[in-house]
Amino acid sequence: MGMASSRLVDRMTEILGPEGVISEREQLRAYECDGLMNYRVIPEIVVLPETAEHVQRIVRYCHDEGIPFVARGSGTGLSGGALPVESGVLIVLSRMRRILEVDIPNQRVVVEPGVINIWVSQAVADEGYYYAPDPASQIVSSIGGNLAENSGGVHCLKYGFTTNHVMGAEVVLPDGTMVNIGGGKAPDAPGYELLGAFVGSEGTLGIATKITLRVVRKPASVKTLLAAFKDTEEAGDAVSGIIGSGIVPAAIEMMDSLCIEAVETAVHPGFPQAGAVLIVELDGPEAEVSSQFDQTIEICEKANASEIRIAQDDEERALFWKGRKAAFAAMGRIANDYYVQDAVVPRTELGATLKRISELGSEYGMRVANVFHAGDGNLHPLVLYDNDVPGEAEKAEDLAGEIVMTCLEHGGSLTGEHGIGRDKMKYMPKMFTTEDMDTMQLLRCAFDPHHICNPGKVFPTPRLCGEKPGPFHMHPVQKAGLAENF
Amino acid sequence: MDTRTNNVSLGDLQGIVGEANAREANGSDEIDGVRPSFVAEPGSVEELSALMRFANDEGLAVAPRGGGTSSSLGNPPRELDLIVSTARMNEVIEHVPGDQVVRVQTGIRFQDLQERLAGSDQMLGVDPPERAAGATVGGIVAANSSGPRRHRYGTIRDLIIGVTVVLPDGTVAKAGGKVVKNVAGYDLGKLFTGSLGTLGVIATANFRLHPRPEAARTVAVELGDSAAAGQAAQAIMHSQLVPSAVELHWGEGHGLLTVLLEGITPAAEAQAEEAEFLLKGFGETRTLSDEEVDDLGPYAPPGSPGSGEEVALKIAFPPAELTGVLDSTLGACSRRGLDAPRITGQAGIGVLYVGLSGGDEDARVSVTEELREIWVRRGGSVVVRGAPLSFKRRVETWGRWAPGSSSPAA
């Protein structure tokens, strides 16, 4: 370990005490990657702050010394967004896990970033409330991480994403300044909508140290059905029929036969053997749910559903969801390795896109399992491969890349919820022009002119903030007083 | 006339947008008493970009304008040479009903878009009162205007999924896309929402749509005092009802809380019944006729032209403190000799619009400052939405920030 490093360790130990600092190489290894294991980097040091003030002091030191840093929550991200930087500091927020305030009259919960998603719902369950965004990782992923990634979940079709539920945040900026953005308990804070830009910025604009969330009332009624179809096309017809009839389901999820097979092997939810299954959940006022549920059943029957099962109680509903939420992990039962893709197409392009994915699978001679949020066109194709076969991993990644390109051709997006992170930087120019990305980087430079905050993520060719993109010298963000330095 | 525009002729602008689409400005183009030299109406993103580039080269101060309904929001312009109107950019670019997404040029009038979407039984889920005065979609985004239905659908920042913006130097940049779920790149659409044209011109925008509800019922409760208002709003908020709007209407010694319930007919009816049951304890309840609903809304927001009100404030507050906001507002007005104010807004969200009238300007300034003192301290804000120039010169438009907050803009 070098000289600089020992100084860094001393300084961090001064701030956090010895139990808040990890600098032994073997221990650092535990933090070399997040949920995406294709990329691994061992950081110089891992620090575990317990308070916002700790975070501020760490970041200020990094800023003064020009040391890059990366924030990490639970490390469940799937795009390498929390991949450490070599010779940088990894700031792990998992010790900041206090629920600071539960304010039912205002329907707010204030938390530290390390608080686990599901804890928020648990904290307000007795009052009849819950926190709506429910990524499949919700029993382990942190609110801070959810905020950075703008996490979705199976119920975001109706209830929106993290960005629609974060009302305010205390943020440590990359220069160590601490600010509040957004309103918090009151809506509509005057000034720029910085919170909307900050949520989903993948940890590149600062570190949230306190987050105010909106919680919502549990619905009066919930009904869930599982419908089996001959293939994904017929299931897709049912999805179009449901959405087209003006129903906004709480969730509408599809799994193909390969996925069903894997899930059955892994967690035995008792799914029918079929070409595709849909899980449709409706919630809301009793009269609405029961009428629209009958309508949903009719639509599924019309789309030739071979079987429709209705969850008779919470237990059966939980079983349906267990099958769905176990889908990624279950792939391990039918393949040695798998590559999780995340991309989006307009809903009406689902059929054509699935057909093309299946063709691509045949061309590559590889199996692709599909599980997706059918209501909002968010696909999660899982490319199955065997790491022990030389070249297969690369081939799987190529195929996954072609799948994303297919989605873009159909008017979609590179990612619906997993983020760009490290993994998809290279595809950014396929979706955005240089001007688009330069404009986004104006924002980044306004927050992080020295490029020390989660560097090497999101943008494939990060500009130095001194560069002046485009032929003209005036910067709107600068002119507006948002930033002085480029 | 400003010396900078000496080098610029109307012909220069006509050369970019066409002869018929640029003119000398007149009195109706003034913003807070500041008169620009020219008005230009580009017909495409390319023309808009060329126009902005030209203005940038010549050092012209530019203000974008949609329907012009919210132009005086914010501080008076320090300088103004050119108004860039989006009036000619009013096309629906793409609407695929099955995707429940629409892409538009932002100069389209909100009402025109809404009528068009209604043909597919869909809607953009916002209902800002400015729509009745001809607000454009771009203006609504730039001003982040909202109305009663934000209780259910959120504001336009929750529905915008993609933008093309033209920066002051003419750069054309896009963010987001035409899918409802998308986390690729920064969400510049949200950053531009509410930016009042200070970051550039929003040229096109994409939105998530909702199905149009089949039926609507409005239940109202007459409120005797501010305490009843707060309790009634809380009763609805914490119930399992899913109202589209929870509106307070307060003025001339009476108060009314209305709850809008929408959906399929039997559900709207069942919910209306439940709402009436919940509200019974706070005052006399009834279901409003369509006529009564029309009388209430789309209401002119307090302070709008013709309302007779001098100053319009927007108070944002933690929603459980509704009673306190009413008390402090009514108390301040009465102590300073103002008329009883008209107050409307989203009781369940924590936003009230207050129209001040009567008294002299000193009194109206004092009331504004007093309310600010209280509600900023309690985590909210008091924004001046509309006021004569003399008032605006005395009272900061956006108000003080809560400690540690990011600083005000525009």
Side-chain angles (χ1 to χ4, degrees):
Chain A
M1 205 174 284
M3 294 280 289
S5 171
S6 91
R7 199 169 139 238
L8 178 61
V9 172
D10 289 350
R11 181 67 191 124
M12 290 298 129
T13 307
E14 219 176 280
I15 297 170
L16 301 165
E19 62 288 337
V21 178
I22 296 171
S23 58
E24 296 298 328
R25 194 168 171 84
E26 273 320 298
Q27 286 176 286
L28 289 172
R29 231 173 232 296
Y31 297 94
E32 66 183 356
C33 64
D34 60 10
L36 180 75
M37 295 171 214
N38 312 35
Y39 299 95
R40 292 166 198 267
V41 172
I42 297 176
E44 186 79 25
I45 189 170
V46 169
V47 292
L48 298 151
E50 290 179 19
T51 65
E53 196 213 336
H54 282 164
V55 175
Q56 189 178 21
R57 290 172 70 192
I58 294 162
V59 170
R60 188 168 286 155
Y61 180 79
C62 287
H63 173 260
D64 292 348
E65 300 292 322
I67 301 168
F69 60 88
V70 176
R72 171 183 163 122
S74 298
T76 57
L78 291 168
S79 58
L83 182 74
V85 178
E86 217 178 276
S87 71
V89 177
L90 186 72
I91 304 173
V92 177
L93 297 152
S94 56
R95 285 190 187 167
M96 291 179 65
R97 42 175 61 187
R98 286 180 301 162
I99 293 178
L100 299 171
E101 192 188 349
V102 173
D103 178 355
I104 293 299
N106 284 308
Q107 301 176 323
R108 300 284 190 270
V109 175
V110 184
V111 301
E112 290 185 328
V115 163
I116 303 302
N117 174 301
I118 194 83
W119 295 357
V120 180
S121 288
Q122 287 165 351
V124 295
D126 287 350
E127 315 274 358
Y129 278 83
Y130 72 108
Y131 176 62
D134 61 342
S137 60
Q138 71 182 137
I139 55 167
V140 273
S141 64
S142 70
I143 294 295
N146 290 174
L147 182 152
E149 301 296 318
N150 187 17
S151 300
V154 296
H155 289 88
C156 60
L157 171 64
K158 181 170 180 180
Y159 291 98
F161 316 94
T162 301
T163 190
N164 307 109
H165 296 268
V166 172
M167 307 309 288
E170 174 190 270
V171 171
V172 174
L173 297 177
D175 68 355
T177 311
M178 193 183 280
V179 297
N180 285 302
I181 57 175
K185 294 207 178 164
D188 295 6
Y192 286 120
E193 175 49 83
L194 297 179
L195 187 63
F198 189 83
V199 175
S201 61
E202 306 197 34
T204 61
L205 301 181
I207 301 176
T209 47
K210 187 162 105 178
I211 303 159
T212 304
L213 303 170
R214 179 166 76 94
V215 288
V216 297
R217 191 75 169 85
K218 281 184 196 165
S221 170
V222 185
K223 281 183 188 281
T224 314
L225 68 78
L226 187 145
F229 297 89
K230 186 176 91 222
D231 51 33
T232 51
E233 207 179 326
E234 285 192 348
D237 290 344
V239 173
S240 300
I242 293 164
I243 302 290
S245 71
I247 297 170
V248 182
I252 180 160
E253 299 281 307
M254 199 193 294
M255 297 163 81
D256 70 3
S257 56
L258 200 51
C259 209
I260 300 165
E261 181 195 332
V263 162
E264 270 309 311
T265 317
V267 294
H268 323 292
F271 287 178
Q273 283 193 324
V277 296
L278 276 187
I279 301 175
V280 187
E281 188 159 287
L282 303 187
D283 70 11
E286 183 77 51
E288 183 173 292
V289 171
S290 62
S291 158
Q292 294 191 334
F293 197 68
D294 291 344
Q295 207 182 337
T296 301
I297 291 170
E298 265 174 49
I299 292 166
C300 288
E301 281 168 349
K302 237 166 131 184
N304 292 323
S306 56
E307 187 180 343
I308 296 174
R309 271 185 220 167
I310 294 159
Q312 298 302 318
D313 49 29
D314 285 349
E315 206 176 313
E316 195 170 0
R317 177 175 12 263
L319 193 65
F320 289 178
W321 284 119
K322 187 178 170 193
R324 164 60 187 89
K325 291 190 179 183
F328 290 3
M331 289 302 141
R333 297 299 182 109
I334 59 166
N336 280 342
D337 302 279
Y338 60 97
Y339 189 101
V340 180
Q341 191 50 285
D342 164 47
V344 195
V345 289
R347 194 161 29 219
T348 50
E349 298 289 329
L350 269 176
T353 309
L354 284 172
K355 191 158 162 265
R356 181 68 192 134
I357 290 174
S358 145
E359 285 167 12
L360 282 169
S362 308
E363 282 170 30
Y364 275 75
M366 300 184 97
R367 291 185 298 167
V368 181
N370 283 292
V371 50
F372 51 94
H373 311 299
D376 42 31
N378 186 192
L379 299 154
H380 291 307
L382 299 142
V383 180
L384 311 185
Y385 67 99
D386 187 345
N387 216 3
D388 294 339
V389 179
E392 277 238 311
E394 292 73 24
K395 214 167 98 180
E397 205 182 328
D398 287 349
L399 172 52
E402 285 215 41
I403 290 172
V404 177
M405 290 307 114
T406 299
C407 292
L408 280 189
E409 281 159 24
H410 285 275
S413 168
L414 294 174
T415 168
E417 52 189 3
H418 295 172
I420 297 293
R422 172 63 195 272
D423 194 32
K424 287 188 172 161
M425 289 187 327
K426 58 179 178 288
Y427 300 130
M428 281 290 276
K430 304 279 186 193
M431 182 164 168
F432 296 108
T433 64
T434 307
E435 287 77 15
D436 300 341
M437 288 186 287
D438 282 349
T439 302
M440 291 178 190
Q441 296 230 41
L442 288 177
L443 180 67
R444 182 177 200 160
C445 289
F447 277 77
D448 181 24
H450 306 295
H451 216 73
I452 54 171
C453 187
N454 208 7
K457 311 285 168 64
V458 185
F459 301 103
T461 47
R463 276 184 184 270
L464 291 174
C465 293
E467 279 184 71
K468 294 175 176 67
F472 303 103
H473 59 272
M474 267 216 286
H475 284 217
V477 180
Q478 185 176 14
K479 203 181 163 205
L482 211 71
E484 288 168 2
N485 256 329
F486 281 86
Chain B
M1 191 177 284
D2 198 291
T3 49
R4 280 167 316 182
T5 52
N6 286 349
N7 302 326
V8 176
S9 72
L10 182 60
D12 293 334
L13 300 170
Q14 288 172 328
I16 297 170
V17 297
E19 202 186 324
N21 303 315
R23 60 171 172 83
E24 307 265 357
N26 59 46
S28 70
D29 299 310
E30 285 183 7
I31 298 176
D32 275 345
V34 183
R35 187 184 293 199
S37 302
F38 303 108
V39 177
E41 300 185 347
S44 65
V45 174
E46 292 71 28
E47 278 184 20
L48 173 57
S49 167
L51 186 65
M52 295 297 277
R53 192 178 307 133
F54 173 79
N56 188 58
D57 285 349
E58 298 297 332
L60 304 184
V62 173
R65 184 172 75 193
T69 58
S70 299
S71 288
S72 64
L73 206 56
N75 294 315
R78 225 171 306 155
E79 48 201 55
L80 180 58
D81 303 311
L82 171 67
I83 285 190
V84 173
S85 163
T86 56
R88 286 174 64 224
M89 295 179 58
N90 58 2
E91 298 288 316
V92 172
I93 303 167
E94 185 182 9
H95 174 221
V96 182
D99 292 333
Q100 291 182 348
V101 164
V102 71
R103 299 171 61 210
V104 300
Q105 290 184 319
T106 52
I108 189 170
R109 282 174 193 266
F110 178 84
Q111 294 286 54
D112 294 344
L113 174 63
Q114 207 68 310
E115 272 169 35
R116 169 128 179 213
L117 297 172
S120 307
D121 265 332
Q122 292 182 352
M123 63 175 191
L124 180 53
V126 294
D127 55 354
E130 293 84 355
R131 72 191 188 278
T136 59
V137 169
I140 286 167
V141 174
N144 196 13
S145 313
S146 60
R149 282 184 179 80
R150 69 177 287 181
H151 186 91
R152 177 157 177 184
Y153 299 103
T155 58
I156 200 81
R157 65 86 83 188
D158 296 297
L159 303 172
I160 194 164
I161 57 172
V163 282
T164 307
V165 294
V166 178
L167 302 187
D169 68 0
T171 301
V172 177
K174 67 177 186 308
K178 59 171 188 172
V179 285
V180 295
K181 195 173 182 186
N182 180 5
V183 295
Y186 290 155
D187 198 342
L188 298 184
K190 286 192 176 58
L191 182 65
F192 272 74
T193 302
S195 66
L196 296 177
T198 61
L199 300 179
V201 185
I202 307 159
T204 75
N206 312 339
F207 301 97
R208 171 191 182 167
L209 303 174
H210 282 88
R212 258 163 68 92
E214 173 187 299
R217 296 287 181 275
T218 302
V219 174
V221 58
E222 297 280 355
L223 303 162
D225 54 32
S226 61
Q231 289 159 5
Q234 282 283 308
I236 296 295
M237 271 175 77
H238 300 295
S239 74
Q240 286 176 314
L241 293 172
V242 185
S244 295
V246 181
E247 287 285 291
L248 184 75
H249 311 262
W250 199 276
E252 286 156 24
H254 77 276
L256 198 69
L257 187 79
T258 58
V259 181
L260 173 64
L261 301 144
E262 296 180 313
I264 55 172
T265 309
E269 275 168 2
Q271 286 205 83
E273 228 170 86
E274 195 184 332
E276 231 177 317
F277 177 79
L278 284 169
L279 293 172
K280 248 191 240 159
F282 308 106
E284 199 180 314
T285 60
R286 62 200 156 90
T287 299
L288 298 187
S289 67
D290 289 350
E291 218 167 45
E292 283 174 293
V293 172
D294 286 346
D295 280 349
L296 283 171
Y299 53 81
S304 52
S307 66
E309 288 146 351
E310 294 285 338
V311 173
L313 304 178
K314 173 183 176 181
I315 308 181
F317 55 95
E321 304 200 31
L322 180 63
T323 299
V325 174
L326 278 174
D327 287 344
S328 59
T329 306
L330 299 171
C333 287
S334 130
R335 257 181 291 109
R336 310 272 182 185
L338 267 56
D339 299 343
R342 192 164 65 95
I343 304 173
T344 66
Q346 290 84 57
I349 294 291
V351 170
L352 288 181
Y353 297 91
V354 180
L356 303 181
S357 56
D360 58 13
E361 190 163 276
D362 285 349
R364 294 190 288 270
V365 168
S366 299
V367 166
T368 306
E369 282 172 350
E370 182 180 329
L371 291 174
R372 233 175 220 173
E373 168 63 30
I374 299 168
W375 294 104
V376 169
R377 195 167 10 97
R378 300 191 68 80
S381 59
V382 176
V383 167
V384 178
R385 298 259 314 171
L389 212 46
S390 56
F391 183 94
K392 274 191 170 185
R393 290 206 176 101
R394 296 175 65 182
V395 180
E396 218 284 306
T397 303
W398 303 111
R400 256 190 324 106
W401 249 233
S405 292
S406 49
S407 55

